[in-house]
């Protein structure tokens, strides 16, 4: 069977190098090997409050960044989730197959709900909708960072359950592609938490659109430890380990090579070189982003992507509705 991949990045904030390491940097290589659907899961972004103007701007920003990173829209479908109504429709149907207990076990929900006075029911049910995103396109593979493994497991369980309850082999069971290097990039201010778009502290993240001086300044201030040795040890040295991970993603060097290069050298020059490696990769991305953002070509790509996605999704949705007993 042909390999088919679905992946996307939520427009819940400005993109940072966490999402770049865990997702965007791998998209181009994926399209060489598979039929790819790269979407912008804007329906998922609104599971927590989003300012409407910012949501629109960030959604367009992510679409432009996909192309700037090298996604070829002739090969891969690039589209907004909200422009393909089948996502919401299958999402509802998958919700009917999901137990409240299963959703309650999702650690991402627990983390996100923690400390909030009011939580939308959509934040709770979102994993069933994520399952629908994947199953709608019969994705054979889904790249997952550390934080998404549990959600993909749920999607697999739902697919198996649906196939056995209604119709064998209707859904393809998606396999995870576990991101290797880059799957764990932590906040610069607190290496116990992942670098997140929704973190209001701007110095916790390197944004993909940051100016070189901001990048240098943020890395210089990144939390490390007092040992002064550049080595990877996630338990004892999460700050340096995360910086090593970033260095590896942006330089192409292995963690081992970087450790050897900085033997006997303090954190200062390691951080300076790390900043330059990141700047060198982000500059061409930013340049190409500026050419693409706001262009008519981008609008065309998104329109075409939504049409292609809707066509692929329609076949699955019809089969699901028939299997469940709807009059279609
Ligand atoms: N810090 C990270 N390190 C490695 N991978 C990461 N990803 C996100 N942050 C990191 C990976 O990027 C993909 C897209 O994620 P997303 O944008 O859909 O959602 P997210 O994981 O919830 O990202 P954020 O930044 O944490 O957003 P908010 O703050 O809104 O929840 C995924 O594959 C993810 O693993």
């Amino acid at each position: 069977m042909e390999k088919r991949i679905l992946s996307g990045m939520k427009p819940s904030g400005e993109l940072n190098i966490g999402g770049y390491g865990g997702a965007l940097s791998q998209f181009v290589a994926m399209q060489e090997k598979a039929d790819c659907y790269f979407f912008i899961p804007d329906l998922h972004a609104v599971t927590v409050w989003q300012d409407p103007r910012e949501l629109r701007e960030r959604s367009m920003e992510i679409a432009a960044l996909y192309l700037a990173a090298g996604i070829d829209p002739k090969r891969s479908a690039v589209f907004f989730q909200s422009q393909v109504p089948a996502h919401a429709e299958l999402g509802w149907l998958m919700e009917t197959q999901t137990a409240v207990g299963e959703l309650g076990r999702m650690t991402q929900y627990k983390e996100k709900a923690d400390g909030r006075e009011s939580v939308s029911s959509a934040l709770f049910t979102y994993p069933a909708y994520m399952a629908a995103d994947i199953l709608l396109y019969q994705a054979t593979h889904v790249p997952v960072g550390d934080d998404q493994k549990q959600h993909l497991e749920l999607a697999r369980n739902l697919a198996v359950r649906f196939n056995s309850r209604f119709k064998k082999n209707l859904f393809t069971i998606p396999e995870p592609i576990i991101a290797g290097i880059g799957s764990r990039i932590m906040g610069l201010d607190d290496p116990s938490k992942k670098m997140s778009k929704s973190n209001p502290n701007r110095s916790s993240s390197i944004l993909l659109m940051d100016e070189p001086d901001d990048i240098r300044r943020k890395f210089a201030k990144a939390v490390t430890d007092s040992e002064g040795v550049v080595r990877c040890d996630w338990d004892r040295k999460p700050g340096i380990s995360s910086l090593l991970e970033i260095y590896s993603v942006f330089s192409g060097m292995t963690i081992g090579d970087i450790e050897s290069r900085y033997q006997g050298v303090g954190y200062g020059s390691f951080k300076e070189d790390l900043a330059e490696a990141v700047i060198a990769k982000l500059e061409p991305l930013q340049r190409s982003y500026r050419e693409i953002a706001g262009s008519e070509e981008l609008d065309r790509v998104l329109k075409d992507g939504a049409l292609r996605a809707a066509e692929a999704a329609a076949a699955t949705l019809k089969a699901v509705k028939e299997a469940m007993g709807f009059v279609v």
Side-chain angles (χ1 to χ4, degrees), residues 152-169:
L152 184 69
E153 205 42 50
L154 177 72
R156 287 169 55 85
N157 291 341
L158 290 176
V160 170
R161 186 175 305 160
F162 190 97
N163 285 350
S164 84
R165 275 185 187 163
F166 297 102
K167 196 173 170 198
K168 276 205 163 43
N169 300 330

Side-chain angles (χ1 to χ4, degrees), residues 16 34 46-48 59 62 95 118 128-129 134 138 140 185 192 195 200 228 251 270 304 306 310:
N16 59 48
V46 297
T47 51
V48 298
S59 299
I62 294 186
E95 205 185 321
S118 164
Y129 284 77
I134 298 165
Q138 306 287 358
T140 57
I185 292 180
S192 69
M195 191 179 282
S251 66
F270 165 69
D304 175 59

